Amino acid sequence: MSLKKHISILLSAAALVGCLTACGQAAEVRPAVKYDAAITVWYTDDGTPMWQNLAALSKTYNSGDGAASGVTVTLKSFDSDSALMDAITSGGKPSLVVCSSDAALALAKTDGVAVSTSKFVTSGTLNGLVSSYIEAGKLDGTLVGVPLAASIGLIMVNSALTSKLSGYSASAMSTPEGVCQTANSYVKAAGSAFFTSGSFSLLFRTWLAQYGDEFRAQKESDIKSEHYVYLYNLLANTAYNGGVEVTDDDPAGLVAEGKLPCAVVTSSDAAKYAGASQDAAYLPYPVVKGGKALYPVYICDMVITATAENEGQASAAFIQWLLANSSGLTSGSGYYPATALPGSGADSASTAKLDAVAASQSGSLYIPSPSAEYFADSTDFESSFREILTGLS
């Protein structure tokens, strides 16, 4: 073989290797980024399947991508956002917090609590997420919470109980006035309460938004709104007639078990009992007469509270991994991934009816403007209003 031909063969071989690498067929395998950090994730567990899914996914991460990156995730749950906040303000040091968008902003305004989400989360992590969800997690333009999932507000009814009411109409339940009128009729017919809500403060918040007003959960300012006074009296009169049930029990559970005909709940609350009752049915969130058709969306945010560089980067990496696996996280839970608007499609047979209600809503989705002040005051309002309703019934 001539020297010239030998060189030609070597050059051809080199060109082939270069082509394979460029075409991605023999590309160099890059090692996983090493963070070497243990991260703790604190979250509010509302009893829905999403948190069981989170536990399972965390184990998958720890044995897979986490192990490759030197990251171990440990979970700790709380019964409420308030309990979670109390644990943090008492000296708790989680790496990552999953909570409501209101609680996320409250965290950012809490003295002594470091929120470092914007420092560690890159813009690439946010690609594909619903833009309005992202905006809801910002405070003065700075990212505080990365949206993980969202649930919607709706009405849950027990069709076996509502069928006992002559003239019952689902269409009448499309307004607060219709719900209360139906409740008054039900009391006369059955002698018992008709409906309840897991949060009366959220009722006021959404219904006042439908009027174009803001609910602050502060009596001194809210009472200046004629719409607030109107809604307050509407519920109070219905309670006086015996139509409103005030209870600490899970409203969705009461409806599913046939103990109460109706409740205003979230899709995630309803999903807990989706396969437990053949009598459960769902209706769109009621809209005040003369108001704008707004249907509430409640967002779960992820907030990085780690300050150490490796811990913060590891938390951001776990966030990105969770978002990439969000369909598995929300499956069958009544929550929807932050990559899609509610009603975009059923992810399981048990939640198909919930998805249908979400898809049937013809108005606009309402994402309450997150407020640390509302978060702080709503608990006192809820307690006070429930005492008033109980005293009236």
Side-chain angles (χ1 to χ4, degrees):
M1 179 184 297
S2 68
L3 179 61
K4 182 177 180 180
K5 189 174 182 180
H6 181 70
I7 293 174
S8 177
I9 292 174
L10 289 176
L11 289 174
S12 297
L16 177 61
V17 172
C19 177
L20 288 174
T21 302
C23 294
Q25 297 177 26
E28 178 185 358
V29 177
R30 296 183 179 180
V33 177
K34 285 287 187 179
Y35 300 108
D36 295 324
I39 62 173
T40 54
V41 180
W42 287 11
Y43 65 97
T44 300
D45 186 347
D46 56 7
T48 67
M50 187 164 83
W51 309 112
Q52 298 171 17
N53 296 342
L54 176 64
L57 284 172
S58 297
K59 290 181 180 179
T60 299
Y61 181 78
N62 283 340
S63 62
D65 287 34
S69 301
V71 179
T72 303
V73 174
T74 302
L75 303 178
K76 183 175 182 178
S77 66
F78 294 83
D79 293 335
S80 66
D81 281 347
S82 296
L84 187 155
M85 286 283 290
D86 288 343
I88 293 177
T89 55
S90 297
K93 299 291 184 182
S95 312
L96 180 63
V97 174
V98 183
C99 58
S100 69
S101 51
D102 285 313
L105 265 62
L107 271 176
K109 289 189 172 184
T110 301
D111 292 337
V113 177
V115 171
S116 51
T117 309
S118 61
K119 176 182 178 182
F120 295 111
V121 173
T122 65
S123 58
T125 299
L126 305 179
N127 286 341
L129 303 184
V130 177
S131 58
S132 53
Y133 292 179
I134 297 173
E135 291 303 311
K138 291 182 178 179
L139 178 63
D140 299 329
T142 299
L143 184 69
V144 171
V146 177
L148 175 63
S151 62
I152 63 169
L154 48 77
I155 291 179
M156 182 176 178
V157 297
N158 185 293
S159 55
L161 294 180
T162 56
S163 65
K164 295 179 180 180
L165 179 59
S166 176
Y168 167 79
S169 169
S171 61
M173 302 285 285
S174 63
T175 66
E177 295 87 349
V179 172
C180 289
Q181 184 176 355
T182 302
N184 292 332
S185 299
Y186 188 84
V187 171
K188 293 178 181 179
S192 58
F194 179 72
F195 81 97
T196 190
S197 173
S199 172
F200 290 99
S201 64
L202 289 180
L203 288 184
F204 279 103
R205 196 180 195 185
T206 303
W207 286 342
L208 284 174
Q210 292 170 351
Y211 279 125
D213 294 351
E214 181 182 359
F215 176 63
R216 295 182 172 84
Q218 298 174 348
K219 181 179 179 180
E220 296 76 11
S221 58
D222 292 328
I223 203 169
K224 297 176 183 177
S225 166
E226 61 178 307
H227 293 132
Y228 169 78
V229 174
Y230 166 71
L231 291 169
Y232 189 102
N233 289 334
L234 179 67
L235 291 172
N237 287 331
T238 307
Y240 180 78
N241 293 331
V244 180
E245 178 81 9
V246 179
T247 175
D248 292 330
D249 293 332
D250 187 344
L254 293 176
V255 176
E257 294 163 8
K259 297 178 180 178
L260 196 67
C262 171
V264 183
V265 299
T266 66
S267 55
S268 55
D269 289 331
K272 290 184 289 186
Y273 306 95
S277 173
Q278 297 297 318
D279 297 322
Y282 313 102
L283 302 171
Y285 202 90
V287 178
V288 295
K289 289 183 177 179
K292 184 178 181 180
L294 298 177
Y295 302 98
V297 177
Y298 309 111
I299 302 171
C300 283
D301 274 341
M302 298 177 285
V303 184
I304 297 178
T305 50
T307 54
E309 190 72 18
N310 62 334
E311 186 182 352
Q313 289 183 356
S315 298
F318 182 59
I319 286 176
Q320 190 168 22
W321 187 88
L322 270 183
L323 291 173
N325 292 275
S326 58
S327 60
L329 178 71
T330 60
S331 178
S333 69
Y335 278 99
Y336 298 87
T339 54
L341 292 171
S344 56
D347 64 354
S348 69
S350 65
T351 57
K353 290 194 292 184
L354 287 171
D355 290 327
V357 170
S360 71
Q361 296 176 152
S362 57
S364 302
L365 293 177
Y366 163 60
I367 302 173
S369 298
S371 168
E373 291 74 23
Y374 170 80
F375 177 78
D377 295 330
S378 60
T379 301
D380 288 341
F381 172 86
E382 186 73 22
S383 177
S384 175
F385 189 69
R386 283 172 173 266
E387 285 184 10
I388 290 171
L389 292 182
T390 300
L392 290 170
S393 60

